[in-house]
Amino acid sequence: MRFAGSVGSFLLASVFLALPLAQSASAQPSAPTVAQTPPMGWNSWNYFAEKVTDKDIRSAADELVATGMKDAGYIYVNIDDTWEAERDSSGVLHTNSKFPDMKALADYVHSKGLKIGIYSGPGPKTCGGYVATLGHDEQDAKMYADWGIDYLKYDLCSFIPAVMEKQAPHDMAAQMRLMEAAYVKMGKALKAAGRPIVFSLCQYGWDAPWEWAPALGGNLWRTTGDIDPTWDRIYTILSQQEGLEKYAGPGHWNDPDMLEVGNGKLTLAENRTHFSMWAMLAAPLLAGNDLPHMKPEIKAVLTNRDVIAIDQDALGKQGSRVYSDGEVDVWSRHLSGGAMAVAVLNANDNGRFASHPFHLSLARLGLHGPQQGKDLWTGKGIQLTDHMPIELASHDILLVRIDQPR
Ligand code: GLA
């Protein structure tokens, strides 16, 4: 994250840089065929990291089916970093011994009615130090298509020192142009490969990718640095999504990073809130937990159909924070058919709200009079009334769907 502090100073450059891409996109509108709703699935990184093997991917596919997660919408089984070996003299990138036969693995995942994803980056090396794509965009994209790959996460990493800093030392605007060009190149290579492949940009939100990634065929783009399974990190990332809601829509989504539900020492309330808020954000729902050993309460969080329906709502409108009162945040999301989701989140670390008792303001949500809704975590009906007191435990959430808001 060496550039993180300087991102603001790139703002002007990013507006300038975004123009040609945005214009070419409007001249040639090409409807994305994938990711019409935020992609759902599972990715190996958050739990297995560099230890992932072919066997883990197969068992993740098996578990998605056995647990009912597939039926709930989790379709992509994504291999993250560390599958790569070396390139041969023809430039063909080989898999390492953890992944003896990628085509056979893709066939296996497809045989379960699932889709498969893979990982690389524009630099010489991946973040984990394995061989990446530099100079082989078309060759790699073609190979992915031949294998039957359905999703590519493309991670900046070593492109920063190896290309950006080397070719344009001390010139941030030029470095950002190099970065964007690298993503344009892979976007074209994927299109030329002729298979619908979800294109996931992983460059930590540098240079406002929400401005330029959709035009080059990006279906999602990371908005921040990496997530980890702690409340502080999850809440920080959540807070950093404000203002990005206007950039999300069918085919192109903000990506606040993969789910940590079921990982680390997150409490049940924290898992629930993390999942609820990623749904409010219309975020990709890529589980990252140990599926074969998933606890029932974690499965219940990940397969809550009502919450998934918020995430996958066909309108594709990302939610936004409406107001905060002390440490209570109130978010809303507009849904298809005129429906609305309201989330009330207690961010206080010590039990009850700092501003206890909290009273909900319907007026600030643009609502008038009592509202009939469904509490998506109890599954029961709930009436929201103006100034009603709401008590939540530390880091817990009230998530309500109102089908006919007034
Ligand atoms: C970066 C990405 C992570 C993961 C690792 C793999 O840190 O942001 O999501 O893909 O690389 O090395």
Side-chain angles (χ1 to χ4, degrees), residues 87-92 136 139:
R87 286 188 193 278
D88 64 22
S89 53
S90 324
V92 177
H136 297 272
Q139 192 172 17

Side-chain angles (χ1 to χ4, degrees), residues 45 80-81 119 127-128 153 155 157 202 204 222 226 257-258:
W45 186 255
D80 209 277
D81 200 357
Y119 166 100
C127 284
K153 173 174 168 184
D155 196 350
C157 260
C202 180
Y204 337 115
R222 282 273 296 278
D226 288 9
D257 207 354
M258 305 172 294

Side-chain angles (χ1 to χ4, degrees), residues 11 14-15 18 207-215 218-221 223 240-255 281-282 316-319:
L11 214 60
S14 84
V15 171
D207 205 33
W210 39 89
E211 301 262 5
W212 47 267
N219 300 115
L220 57 152
W221 48 86
T223 55
Q240 289 171 347
Q241 307 312 305
E242 282 186 51
L244 301 185
E245 51 272 7
K246 65 174 188 248
Y247 298 99
H252 51 97
W253 308 101
N254 291 302
D255 175 11
L281 293 171
K317 248 180 144 334
Q318 179 174 328

